[in-house]
């Protein structure tokens, strides 16, 4: 899934250098009440990527986020549906670019790392790069909310167990993606589950992913996080379970079938043992319950087989959409 960053052919070097300055790059900054930091964030990315277009989508802020972003030189739009997932979905729909750099507006991610996130895309070595705050220890050092770190590790572990691939940092809001990835990722999340949804989509669809270590700094004084550790954490876990059901239905319903069969055995073994000892079934309710559990297990496994066929058909249609996205990109280059 992940691949090493190598050297691009020499004839591509000028084009790559242009990309690293922001040519054909859209910087996406979803914002909600970030007036303390947004002007600095826009200015920092304008300095590092002078050729890029910087978009700030204001999500019903009650402060001066939109005005300050516009004064700093960003292209400002408004998204009335509350939630980061809604904002990112609308950005992906409306904004056209060859490369997309998504970052939060809270000034916790360094603009200086943007070229390193874009480089694997420009060299055609990755479809998505992930700003990894974890591996160099900066997140553990700067983050003042220990349960956020615990939640990140839990989500990483779950994705590794379900999909066999482990991100260094699943919940990071700093990513770069190429056009084909952005235009074919199905976003259904409304809130902060968006990072998890994008990560699982990348793993399930076998996109090329590259982790890029970055520095991380905590929010400046006066800036408040909108992330609820418990509430949004529960939503993230629900999103993982839902996506696992959608992307791997046979595994999901197969595990459910095993659970039902195990419960059936727990209820039925004493009944069977009693029958062999006495030749009679005295525990009729237990026998009925055991049969019901086993039947539920069989139905669950059957549902998994059917939905697995549907999921494979959906994957094939998605692959065709990816081909169409690449063809559109080639036409735009002409």
């Amino acid at each position: 899934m992940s691949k090493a960053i190598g050297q691009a052919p020499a004839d591509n070097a000028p084009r790559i250098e242009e990309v690293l300055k922001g040519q054909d790059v859209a910087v996406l900054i979803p914002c909600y009440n970030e007036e303390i930091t947004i002007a600095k964030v826009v200015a920092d990315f304008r300095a590092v990527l002078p050729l890029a277009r910087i978009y700030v989508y204001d999500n019903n802020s009650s402060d001066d986020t939109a005005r300050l972003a516009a004064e700093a030189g960003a292209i400002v739009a408004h998204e009335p549906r509350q939630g980061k997932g809604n904002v990112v979905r609308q950005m992906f729909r409306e904004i056209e670019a060859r490369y997309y750099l998504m970052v939060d507006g809270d000034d916790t991610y360094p603009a200086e790392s943007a070229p390193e996130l874009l480089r694997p895309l420009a060299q055609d070595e990755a479809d998505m790069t992930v700003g990894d705050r974890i591996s160099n220890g900066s997140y553990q050092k700067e983050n003042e909310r220990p349960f956020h770190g615990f939640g990140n590790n839990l989500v990483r572990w779950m994705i590794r167990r379900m999909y066999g691939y482990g991100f260094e940092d699943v919940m990071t809001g700093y990513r770069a993606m190429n056009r084909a990835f952005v235009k074919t990722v199905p976003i259904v999340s409304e809130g902060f589950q968006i990072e998890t949804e994008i990560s699982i989509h990348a793993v399930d669809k076998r996109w090329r992913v590259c982790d890029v270590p970055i520095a991380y700094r905590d929010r400046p004084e006066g800036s408040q996080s909108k992330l609820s550790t418990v509430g949004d954490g529960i939503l993230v876990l629900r999103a993982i379970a839902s996506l696992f059901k959608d992307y791997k239905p046979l595994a999901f319903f197969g595990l459910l079938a095993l659970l039902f069969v195990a419960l059936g055995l727990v209820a039925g073994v004493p009944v069977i043992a009693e029958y062999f000892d006495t030749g009679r079934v005295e525990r009729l309710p237990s026998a009925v319950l055991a049969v019901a559990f086993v039947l539920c297990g069989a139905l669950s496994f059957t549902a998994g087989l059917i939905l697995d066929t549907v999921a494979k058909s959906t994957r094939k249609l998605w692959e065709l959409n990816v081909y169409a996205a690449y063809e559109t990109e080639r036409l735009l280059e002409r």
Side-chain angles (χ1 to χ4, degrees), residues 41 116 143 168 216 230 270 273 290 317 327:
V41 172
E116 292 308 308
N143 178 38
E168 293 297 332
Y216 175 83
V230 177
L317 291 175
E327 181 61 26

Side-chain angles (χ1 to χ4, degrees), residues 184-315:
T184 59
V185 56
I187 296 177
V188 297
S189 299
E190 296 182 357
F192 284 103
Q193 314 95 294
I194 179 66
E195 282 91 1
T196 303
E197 183 177 15
I198 290 176
S199 298
I200 291 178
H201 169 77
V203 173
D204 181 75
K205 298 300 188 294
R206 299 184 180 89
W207 287 103
R208 297 170 298 172
V209 178
C210 178
D211 291 305
V212 178
I214 61 168
Y216 175 83
R217 51 182 177 259
D218 206 10
R219 283 175 170 267
E221 185 176 353
S223 177
Q224 299 295 324
S225 174
K226 288 55 172 198
L227 179 64
S228 168
T229 303
V230 177
D232 287 305
I234 292 173
L235 291 177
V236 167
L237 295 178
R238 285 178 57 187
I240 292 175
S242 178
L243 292 168
F244 184 51
K245 173 179 65 66
D246 293 342
Y247 288 157
K248 293 183 175 293
L250 184 58
F252 180 88
F253 286 100
L255 290 173
L256 196 59
L258 287 176
L259 175 61
F260 279 127
V261 171
L263 291 173
L265 290 175
V266 170
V269 166
V271 176
I272 296 172
E274 180 185 52
Y275 176 78
F276 280 113
D277 286 341
T278 66
R280 302 170 62 185
V281 177
E282 299 287 349
R283 304 179 184 180
L284 185 58
S286 296
V288 172
L289 181 63
V291 172
F293 275 135
V294 173
L295 286 176
C296 286
L299 288 173
S300 179
F301 185 70
T302 302
L305 288 174
I306 295 171
L307 292 175
D308 186 61
T309 301
V310 174
K312 288 179 179 178
S313 298
T314 302
R315 184 187 296 274

Side-chain angles (χ1 to χ4, degrees), residues 70-266:
E71 291 177 356
I75 302 169
V76 178
H78 299 272
E79 171 50 52
R81 293 167 296 181
Q82 198 66 40
K84 185 176 181 180
N86 290 324
V87 180
V88 173
R89 181 190 305 111
Q90 199 63 23
M91 285 180 149
F92 284 5
R93 288 175 178 176
E94 295 181 347
I95 297 172
E96 294 293 335
R98 186 170 184 179
Y99 304 106
Y100 298 79
L101 185 75
M102 187 170 72
V103 65
D104 293 339
D106 55 9
D107 195 31
T108 57
Y109 301 104
E112 295 77 15
S113 299
E116 292 308 308
L117 285 166
L118 291 168
R119 186 182 300 277
L121 305 183
Q123 295 179 170
D124 195 27
E125 295 180 343
D127 301 297
M128 179 177 74
T129 56
V130 178
D132 166 25
R133 308 163 294 176
I134 305 297
S135 61
N136 61 11
S138 64
Y139 186 71
Q140 293 88 334
K141 180 179 178 181
E142 292 288 331
N143 178 38
E144 296 181 356
R145 295 151 292 182
F147 282 106
H148 286 199
F150 170 78
N152 201 338
N153 291 332
L154 176 62
V155 173
R156 288 168 59 202
W157 178 83
M158 292 179 70
I159 293 178
R160 182 180 292 110
R161 296 295 298 177
M162 292 178 182
Y163 294 93
Y165 178 84
F167 284 90
E168 293 297 332
D169 189 355
V170 178
M171 308 299 291
T172 178
Y174 201 10
R175 300 165 186 264
M177 297 153 281
N178 61 22
R179 187 182 187 280
F181 183 94
V182 165
K183 296 303 181 182
T184 59
V185 56
I187 296 177
V188 297
S189 299
E190 296 182 357
F192 284 103
Q193 314 95 294
I194 179 66
E195 282 91 1
T196 303
E197 183 177 15
I198 290 176
S199 298
I200 291 178
H201 169 77
V203 173
D204 181 75
K205 298 300 188 294
R206 299 184 180 89
W207 287 103
R208 297 170 298 172
V209 178
C210 178
D211 291 305
V212 178
I214 61 168
Y216 175 83
R217 51 182 177 259
D218 206 10
R219 283 175 170 267
E221 185 176 353
S223 177
Q224 299 295 324
S225 174
K226 288 55 172 198
L227 179 64
S228 168
T229 303
V230 177
D232 287 305
I234 292 173
L235 291 177
V236 167
L237 295 178
R238 285 178 57 187
I240 292 175
S242 178
L243 292 168
F244 184 51
K245 173 179 65 66
D246 293 342
Y247 288 157
K248 293 183 175 293
L250 184 58
F252 180 88
F253 286 100
L255 290 173
L256 196 59
L258 287 176
L259 175 61
F260 279 127
V261 171
L263 291 173
L265 290 175
V266 170

